Amino acid sequence: MSMNWLLVLLSTLSVGQAHNEIGADLLANYQQGLWFVKFYAPWCGYCKQLAPIWDSLEKELFDTGINVVRVDATAYPDVASEFDVTGYPTIVFIKEGAVNKYSGPRTLEDLKLFARRLRGPSVKTLGSLGEWNRARRENSPMYVWVGDAAPPEDFLTVAEKLQSKTEFFTSLYKVLPSDIKVKGM
């Protein structure tokens, strides 16, 4: 009876590792989709410390369309080199080939926030006072283009480049909170 249980447990662990580990296939696939990648070395103490958090992250982001994976940089040095990995662990988020290195706290909540921020569009819309209040609570700093017209191309370009650092929004004048004043209004 206990032997059957042991076989099931080993089978589950094996499947989990196969799903989460990636090597040279990353180079063939990272141009499409969303990838949250941890580059690690098996002997690295910091990597071992991050392992259970990374496992939880994979479960938390399972249905988001983000591929949460890890690469053993010692087994795949060419893959690590492609992403300028110089220390362990190195964490990157890749969106349609654009690579964003993560340098924030290594907590589950911070990693989830980073991944969700980069998953969405680089500029989001604040369409109600409730959305404004939520955005102000969760983001500091944040940048908002206010107006009836679409934001200029420069705003969109900057938002795309800095999306990993902060949030960018658009809003209409009519939904501005009363304590925010815009010059020229």
Side-chain angles (χ1 to χ4, degrees):
M1 184 87 148
S2 63
M3 186 61 163
N4 289 339
W5 178 80
L6 180 60
L7 290 174
V8 170
L9 177 61
L10 290 176
S11 173
T12 302
L13 289 175
S14 177
V15 168
Q17 286 180 340
H19 176 71
N20 203 17
E21 290 280 337
I22 193 167
D25 288 344
L26 181 62
L27 292 178
N29 294 303
Y30 82 94
Q31 294 292 334
Q32 296 91 33
L34 305 171
W35 298 87
F36 207 8
V37 185
K38 176 184 83 167
F39 290 93
Y40 74 98
W43 46 260
C44 167
Y46 294 115
C47 301
K48 291 176 184 177
Q49 199 172 35
L50 183 59
I53 295 168
W54 202 257
D55 291 340
S56 295
L57 184 68
E58 181 185 38
K59 292 173 189 151
E60 293 267 344
L61 298 178
F62 177 74
D63 61 351
T64 64
I66 300 170
N67 299 294
V68 180
V69 297
R70 58 183 142 194
V71 175
D72 179 347
T74 63
Y76 297 98
D78 54 329
V79 177
S81 175
E82 178 74 22
F83 293 96
D84 298 321
V85 173
T86 57
Y88 306 115
T90 294
I91 300 171
V92 298
F93 189 93
I94 308 166
K95 182 177 182 178
E96 305 297 335
V99 179
N100 294 279
K101 282 197 175 180
Y102 179 75
S103 59
R106 308 283 170 93
T107 67
L108 180 60
E109 288 307 311
D110 287 309
L111 290 165
K112 280 190 331 190
L113 178 64
F114 183 77
R116 288 194 168 131
R117 176 186 295 154
L118 288 174
R119 176 178 161 243
S122 56
V123 178
K124 298 165 185 76
T125 301
L126 298 174
S128 70
L129 189 55
E131 290 175 359
W132 262 97
N133 290 334
R134 182 193 52 76
R136 290 169 78 182
R137 269 193 319 273
E138 296 176 1
N139 301 288
S140 179
M142 63 185 234
Y143 298 91
V144 183
W145 172 262
V146 179
D148 296 330
E153 196 60 39
D154 290 350
F155 183 83
L156 300 174
T157 300
V158 169
E160 189 69 34
K161 288 183 180 179
L162 296 179
Q163 183 180 13
S164 66
K165 308 287 185 219
T166 191
E167 295 274 6
F168 290 81
F169 300 95
T170 63
S171 182
L172 298 174
Y173 289 113
K174 67 182 179 182
V175 295
L176 279 177
S178 60
D179 65 320
I180 295 180
K181 304 295 181 217
V182 178
K183 257 185 170 179
M185 269 188 63

